[in-house]
Amino acid sequence: MSLRQVLIALGDPLVEVQAAPHGLEGDVLDVVILDPDDVPDVRPGDFALVVGARGRAALPLVRAAGAGGAVAVAVKVDAPAPVLRQAAADAGVALLAVRPEVRWEHLEALVRGVVQTARSSADAGAVEVLGDLFGLAQTIASLTGGIVSIEDTASRVLAYSRSSDEVDELRRLSILGRQGPEPYLSMLRDWGVYQRLRSGEEVVRIDERPELGIRRRIAVGVHAGAQPLGTIWVQEGETPLTEESERALLGAARVTALHLVQQREPAAAFRENLLASLLDGRMDAGSIAEQIGADPDRPAAVVVFALRGQEHADRTQHELRRTEMTSLISVHAAAYRRTALVSRQNGRTYALLPDLPPKAPLLALTREIVAAARRHMGLVVQAAVGCTVPVVDEVMLSRAEADRVLDAMARDLDAEVATLADVRSRVLVSETLALLAEHPRIRDPRLDLLDADLARSLLTYLDEFGDVRTAAARLHVHPNTLRYRVRRAAEVGGFDLDDPLLRLFAQLQLRLN
């Protein structure tokens, strides 16, 4: 994981970049503690935390971090420190200023969690993971309209969302690693909030407490079976929390459970790796159904999603947006079916939905996901719904159909969501065009002799079944002009437009241009 991605995950109010002589793209491989009383032990790729020395007193350790090849060195500063910035620039290491009230053990745990998640994901092999907890927290914030914190069972903050809204005192103190207001925490205990969060899958509403500077909240427990793993808290921001926010939070809890299990058991086979294994043919569908607790004899379907309009985004931006999209899909899929699997492969995100009831509203669910991506994240997403197959063992048929539809949508369809029934003719034509593009030898070379105006005019004429006036209107030319161009095309190519087979093939080949 690059230093930039770590900093994006941490965000405010923990650290601030003071110097970055080599940019922020270096990979963070480990987190180390530097103490003035110890001999510095720094290796390339380290994220170094200077503990026990502030301001100018940290100069030797900043220089040592740079000499050892550290990517970044974090120092507590009480005021601007130009001497430290210059030392970091000279040493070639990024300098991060840490707010004085931040607890070092809290910052270390957060950074180490981000780095270990990335490392575990890389160790998983062929799978592209859903993203770290910070990315998931940001997704939950977008879906609920609130300000999110994810905590473990000891109420330690594991990740949180960035926010432009005003945060309350409980949120601020939690992120800084300090305990929240005891009167408020005591009330939560007296109200049985913690007990309800630990005991089941229920969204709990917590009223505002203006006298304590505490805003309204909703929360949900995160569980693996009957075992509690943590809690997601959503503080209300400028936008009121709604029933839709609560539904999104319920799905988010199920996805968060996967992340927390992965962190506890990094060597385990991740759920997203199960789907990747199925798509790659490395595991059979029956085995995967058994592992996720799905009924292999019930209907299932695959939906595939692709992010559009990212041609000009740099690699980091594109990856972050893909992660946001995948997290969003995971939240919605988990809310709909507990046994759903989501995985990224070859630039696409696949969702396997097993245990489907009769007449499952897959189109409505898919449209909801695409609309949520656009509304909450500003992402342009296209999705294709594969056929519903009677048993899990046939899901590859659904995946193949979904891919065919999405391929056609990418080439010449503006729709956001489609099934094969919606666009069957477009899919068939699109696949034929792909074949023509891949095998130039089966194309008619006479059609390649036409310039752009003649080719466009002939194609429009053929599309309109020889109706000159309608075709001319589409081209915004006089009918006589179109008649001339059609005759000229036949002369240049040396073909006979009275031949119906030639007209049929010309309609296809001219669509390649």
Side-chain angles (χ1 to χ4, degrees):
M1 176 169 282
S2 72
L3 176 59
R4 183 186 301 278
Q5 290 173 307
V6 173
L7 295 177
I8 288 173
L10 294 176
D12 292 333
L14 295 181
V15 297
E16 179 182 341
V17 178
Q18 296 288 309
H22 299 309
L24 302 175
E25 303 309 323
D27 289 336
V28 178
L29 304 180
D30 201 0
V31 184
V32 298
I33 301 294
L34 297 185
D35 191 298
D37 297 330
D38 298 330
V39 177
D41 182 13
V42 183
R43 300 178 183 181
D46 281 349
F47 187 113
L49 308 178
V50 175
V51 176
R54 294 194 180 199
R56 295 177 65 92
L59 276 172
L61 293 177
V62 171
R63 296 187 179 109
V71 174
V73 57
V75 181
K76 284 193 176 182
V77 292
D78 298 303
V83 175
L84 275 179
R85 285 198 295 270
Q86 186 59 53
D90 293 341
V93 62
L95 175 66
L96 310 177
V98 181
R99 292 178 55 163
E101 62 266 40
V102 173
R103 291 166 55 186
W104 279 118
E105 63 269 28
H106 184 62
L107 179 60
E108 180 195 11
L110 288 172
V111 178
R112 195 175 295 281
V114 172
V115 174
Q116 287 179 345
T117 298
R119 183 182 298 124
S120 298
S121 302
D123 292 343
V127 63
E128 290 184 72
V129 297
L130 302 182
D132 60 29
L133 278 178
F134 285 91
L136 181 57
Q138 196 64 35
T139 297
I140 300 169
S142 298
L143 291 173
T144 60
I147 305 169
V148 175
S149 297
I150 301 175
E151 299 182 359
D152 64 11
T153 52
S155 298
R156 293 173 298 200
V157 176
L158 302 175
Y160 48 86
S161 64
R162 304 179 301 280
S163 175
S164 58
D165 293 346
E166 182 180 346
V167 299
D168 63 14
E169 187 67 5
L170 178 59
R171 156 86 174 189
R172 189 183 71 83
L173 292 175
S174 297
I175 291 178
L176 293 175
R178 297 161 61 189
Q179 193 172 20
E182 179 53 36
Y184 182 73
L185 300 180
S186 178
M187 279 191 293
L188 293 181
R189 288 190 289 269
D190 293 342
W191 294 339
V193 169
Y194 290 120
Q195 181 178 355
R196 291 167 66 188
L197 292 173
R198 286 193 299 268
S199 62
E201 195 176 60
E202 171 193 6
V203 175
V204 179
R205 303 181 185 93
I206 302 101
D207 292 335
E208 183 177 19
R209 282 293 181 270
E211 70 277 11
L212 296 174
I214 306 299
R215 295 190 178 184
R216 178 174 176 251
R217 273 171 168 71
I218 57 175
V220 68
V222 180
H223 299 83
Q227 180 182 3
L229 300 177
T231 310
I232 306 174
W233 298 86
V234 182
Q235 176 206 309
E236 189 171 71
E238 295 178 356
T239 304
L241 297 171
T242 64
E243 289 185 8
E244 182 183 353
S245 303
E246 295 184 12
R247 286 195 299 271
L249 186 57
L250 182 61
R254 297 171 181 174
V255 175
T256 303
L258 306 181
H259 286 261
L260 296 183
V261 168
Q262 289 171 13
Q263 288 187 353
R264 290 185 173 203
E265 302 177 67
F270 301 156
R271 285 175 67 95
E272 58 266 31
N273 196 23
L274 291 177
L275 180 53
S277 298
L278 174 62
L279 299 178
D280 289 341
R282 290 180 282 127
M283 290 184 67
D284 65 276
S287 299
I288 288 176
E290 181 180 354
Q291 292 198 44
I292 63 177
D295 186 343
D297 296 322
R298 292 191 64 189
V302 171
V303 182
V304 59
F305 301 81
L307 189 60
R308 305 298 189 204
Q310 299 298 305
E311 295 81 6
H312 303 296
D314 64 33
R315 181 178 178 182
T316 302
Q317 287 178 316
H318 183 64
E319 185 59 28
L320 287 173
R321 288 167 184 167
R322 285 184 63 200
T323 299
E324 289 177 346
M325 179 186 72
T326 303
S327 294
L328 181 146
I329 295 166
S330 301
V331 167
H332 281 268
Y336 179 66
R337 278 290 171 273
R338 181 185 296 275
T339 50
L341 292 178
V342 176
S343 181
R344 289 185 350 203
Q345 189 177 69
N346 300 325
R348 294 179 172 182
T349 301
Y350 293 86
L352 169 63
L353 301 169
D355 295 324
L356 292 178
K359 298 181 180 180
L362 296 183
L363 267 176
L365 171 67
T366 307
R367 290 192 181 106
E368 181 182 344
I369 293 172
V370 171
R374 181 179 62 252
R375 182 170 63 252
H376 296 299
M377 300 175 178
L379 300 177
V380 178
V381 177
Q382 281 188 317
V385 182
C387 58
T388 298
V389 293
V391 293
V392 172
D393 199 44
E394 297 179 8
V395 292
M396 292 304 288
L397 297 175
S398 181
R399 181 263 175 100
E401 181 174 296
D403 274 334
R404 290 175 66 198
V405 174
L406 194 62
D407 287 341
M409 295 171 73
R411 282 192 283 268
D412 61 358
L413 192 64
D414 293 331
E416 291 182 329
V417 178
T419 66
L420 182 59
D422 297 325
V423 294
R424 190 181 302 274
S425 61
R426 287 180 178 268
V427 169
L428 295 175
V429 169
S430 182
E431 292 176 347
T432 303
L433 293 180
L435 184 66
L436 286 174
E438 187 176 348
H439 300 282
R441 65 179 182 80
I442 65 176
R443 299 203 293 259
D444 188 335
R446 297 175 296 176
L447 294 168
D448 291 334
L449 299 176
L450 307 183
D451 63 27
D453 283 339
L454 292 181
R456 185 171 61 253
S457 298
L458 179 56
L459 177 59
T460 307
Y461 171 79
L462 294 172
D463 284 346
E464 296 298 337
F465 298 99
D467 185 333
V468 174
R469 291 193 176 278
T470 303
R474 280 184 53 191
L475 292 168
H476 305 290
V477 299
H478 192 277
N480 288 340
T481 301
L482 179 59
R483 291 188 182 95
Y484 167 77
R485 290 181 180 177
V486 171
R487 288 196 304 271
R488 181 62 181 157
E491 293 171 359
V492 170
F495 44 71
D496 181 6
L497 287 175
D498 290 333
D499 183 348
L501 294 181
L502 183 136
R503 293 199 303 270
L504 173 62
F505 196 83
Q507 271 188 287
L508 287 172
Q509 184 171 323
L510 290 173
R511 277 184 159 75
L512 287 175
N513 301 325

